Amino acid sequence: MARDALKDIANIIDGISTIQDLDLLYEYALLKLRGFTNSTAGSIYLREGNDLAIVYTQNEALTTSDRLKTLRVPINESSLSGYVAYTKKTLNVPDVRQIPAEAPYKFNSSADEKTGFVTVSVLGLPLKVSGNSGDLLGIVQLFNAQDENHEIIPFSDDDLQALEIITAVISIVLQRIQNLRWVLLRLTGVVQLRDPEETGAHISRVGGYAIEIYENYAMKNWIPREQIDETKIFLHFAAMLHDIGKVSISDSILKKPGPLTAREFETIKNHTIDGAKIFEDQMTDFDKMVYRVVLEHHESWDGTGYPHGKKGDEISVFAQIVSIADVFDALVSRRVYKESWAVDQAVEEIKALSGKKFSPELVDCFVDALPFLLRVRSTYPY
């Protein structure tokens, strides 16, 4: 293997190994795998029971791959992706139109028919748990390798060893992130048990909304890309933990079907302070961010919020972002005391609160990021 190729592999592995967010892992890993093989498209599937569920796609030939978002494939030998998952072995198909008749797998053209893409060469690589078990995590599929003239060619067998090393690293990082997310989801699950409004989908949507609003804000403020990506990881989890302090509130208040008394509302306010205490040691940058998000996400731009009546830039920008994300999701969600609002109606309400509850700058970022927020909303349905 050429020295330049080894350097490329080392750089890819180094980049992947530092990632701490699933979405960033999918994006970066697939982009680098496609670059290494000069392929036009790729997909990542994760195992869900006896099926593969597509979680991320990249395709230079299409403007969108949303139509593939619901694609599920049984784990068996009948399809190309199912075969890779079932056998947990790499599969290199030079041309899907010339698969031998005796092969157990066939090419399913339904995705091509939905999107207009034309699949020729396919490479499937398993993602497996490290260690002796080798349990399946998912698979990566790459489509249509190209030569220097952009003609479609088969994937090179000479690259397979390198690609299998890279996907082994992807598997390790995927496990690590999934384990961290599992712990955090268990923490948020405690809140869900206590507060019927804090569903898993709501928490995931708020986390997703927050990082999309932050992305827009960061780009407008010329924050370096590396810093944006690292901050998004922390903010995503901080947003999911924003109401962790509700574990300290009694069920008689949290689950009360009617309006709260003034005294009960004062008790509810304490969830910000109680939750922040969990992270008050602030040993890491993550602790610092979560501490301020938990403590300040009910503060208001004009100083009328709680618990400390902070105003303007006294409030952490991350807490301000989570506040907008939380209110937007509450408005468009059905509650026992109200019906869900239409998205347009909720957006107008957020805009009306600009300069009052919310930072005018961040309201503009929210509006600009709305198409991405709606994508998050469709990923975590009600």
Side-chain angles (χ1 to χ4, degrees):
M1 188 176 293
R3 180 175 296 179
D4 287 346
L6 289 173
K7 185 177 180 180
D8 288 343
I9 294 167
N11 288 336
I12 292 170
I13 289 173
D14 185 57
I16 290 171
S17 63
T18 60
I19 294 174
Q20 301 181 59
D21 179 78
L22 277 181
D23 292 332
L24 290 178
L25 176 65
Y26 300 152
E27 180 180 7
Y28 182 87
L30 203 51
L31 188 66
K32 294 301 181 181
L33 287 171
R34 288 179 50 231
F36 189 82
T37 57
N38 197 27
S39 50
T40 63
S43 298
I44 296 177
Y45 299 76
L46 293 185
R47 179 177 187 171
E48 292 187 3
N50 295 320
D51 293 335
L52 292 173
I54 197 164
V55 293
Y56 191 78
T57 64
Q58 290 176 357
N59 195 323
E60 291 178 355
L62 301 175
T63 57
T64 178
S65 53
D66 285 347
R67 284 169 288 184
L68 299 178
K69 289 288 181 67
T70 59
L71 182 62
R72 296 179 70 88
V73 179
I75 296 176
N76 56 44
E77 293 184 295
S78 63
S79 67
L80 303 187
S81 53
Y83 181 88
V84 174
Y86 184 77
T87 62
K88 292 185 276 190
K89 294 180 180 179
T90 298
L91 177 64
N92 188 0
V93 179
D95 191 331
V96 297
R97 299 163 297 187
Q98 299 179 24
I99 295 174
E102 64 272 18
Y105 48 79
K106 306 296 179 187
F107 173 64
N108 185 339
S109 63
S110 60
D112 281 8
E113 292 166 2
K114 288 180 180 179
T115 63
F117 184 71
V118 179
T119 300
V120 181
S121 57
V122 179
L123 177 64
L125 298 143
L127 300 172
K128 297 181 287 186
V129 172
S130 58
N132 294 330
S133 73
D135 291 340
L136 182 75
L137 296 169
I139 73 163
V140 174
Q141 270 194 321
L142 302 171
F143 303 93
N144 293 357
Q146 300 177 103
D147 62 18
E148 60 274 9
N149 298 315
H150 301 290
E151 297 293 329
I152 297 175
I153 59 173
F155 288 89
S156 171
D157 285 335
D158 294 339
D159 292 335
L160 294 186
Q161 184 178 10
L163 291 168
E164 288 172 353
I165 292 171
I166 294 170
T167 52
V169 175
I170 294 171
S171 298
I172 292 170
V173 176
L174 177 61
Q175 277 185 268
R176 186 186 71 210
I177 297 171
Q178 286 181 330
N179 289 340
L180 174 60
R181 179 167 286 194
W182 184 88
V183 171
L184 291 172
L185 286 174
R186 291 302 176 273
L187 281 174
T188 57
V190 175
V191 182
Q192 294 172 47
L193 289 173
R194 302 295 314 285
D195 186 350
E197 292 182 5
E198 296 292 325
T199 66
H202 165 71
I203 291 168
S204 296
R205 287 192 300 270
V206 170
Y209 296 156
I211 61 173
E212 295 297 349
I213 297 169
Y214 170 74
E215 172 95 20
N216 190 277
Y217 164 83
M219 295 295 288
K220 289 177 178 177
N221 284 276
W222 301 98
I223 295 175
R225 182 74 253 174
E226 184 176 344
Q227 183 180 340
I228 293 174
D229 290 341
E230 182 177 355
T231 301
K232 284 170 63 177
I233 297 168
F234 292 162
L235 179 58
H236 186 243
F237 289 124
M240 294 176 71
L241 291 168
H242 71 280
D243 271 338
I244 188 68
K246 286 186 175 178
V247 297
S248 67
I249 309 299
S250 71
D251 285 349
S252 63
I253 296 176
L254 277 182
K255 298 181 180 181
K256 185 176 179 178
L260 300 176
T261 66
R263 177 175 291 183
E264 288 169 337
F265 185 62
E266 289 301 315
T267 301
I268 283 284
K269 288 181 179 180
N270 288 333
H271 82 275
T272 55
I273 297 172
D274 292 340
K277 288 178 181 177
I278 299 172
F279 303 95
E280 64 185 354
D281 288 343
Q282 300 181 47
M283 298 175 62
T284 66
D285 289 341
F286 177 67
D287 291 337
K288 293 174 184 177
M289 181 186 289
V290 180
Y291 176 82
R292 295 201 63 181
V293 165
V294 172
L295 183 65
E296 299 175 2
H297 69 278
H298 282 292
E299 299 285 5
S300 296
W301 185 256
D302 62 4
T304 60
Y306 66 87
H308 299 309
K310 291 184 177 182
K311 63 181 179 180
D313 290 331
E314 295 173 356
I315 309 165
S316 160
V317 67
F318 305 116
Q320 295 178 49
I321 287 171
V322 171
S323 178
I324 294 175
D326 192 29
V327 169
F328 174 68
D329 196 65
L331 290 173
V332 296
S333 302
R334 187 180 182 277
R335 295 284 190 259
V336 292
Y337 53 84
K338 75 169 190 68
E339 294 299 321
S340 60
W341 289 24
V343 169
D344 290 347
Q345 186 183 8
V347 171
E348 290 305 311
E349 178 67 12
I350 298 288
K351 289 162 69 174
L353 293 171
S354 177
K356 300 173 185 176
K357 183 168 181 59
F358 304 126
S359 155
E361 179 186 11
L362 291 176
V363 169
D364 289 342
C365 294
F366 160 78
V367 173
D368 291 343
L370 187 61
F372 300 98
L373 270 62
L374 296 181
R375 187 175 299 176
V376 171
R377 187 173 182 241
S378 66
T379 303
Y380 302 103
Y382 296 84

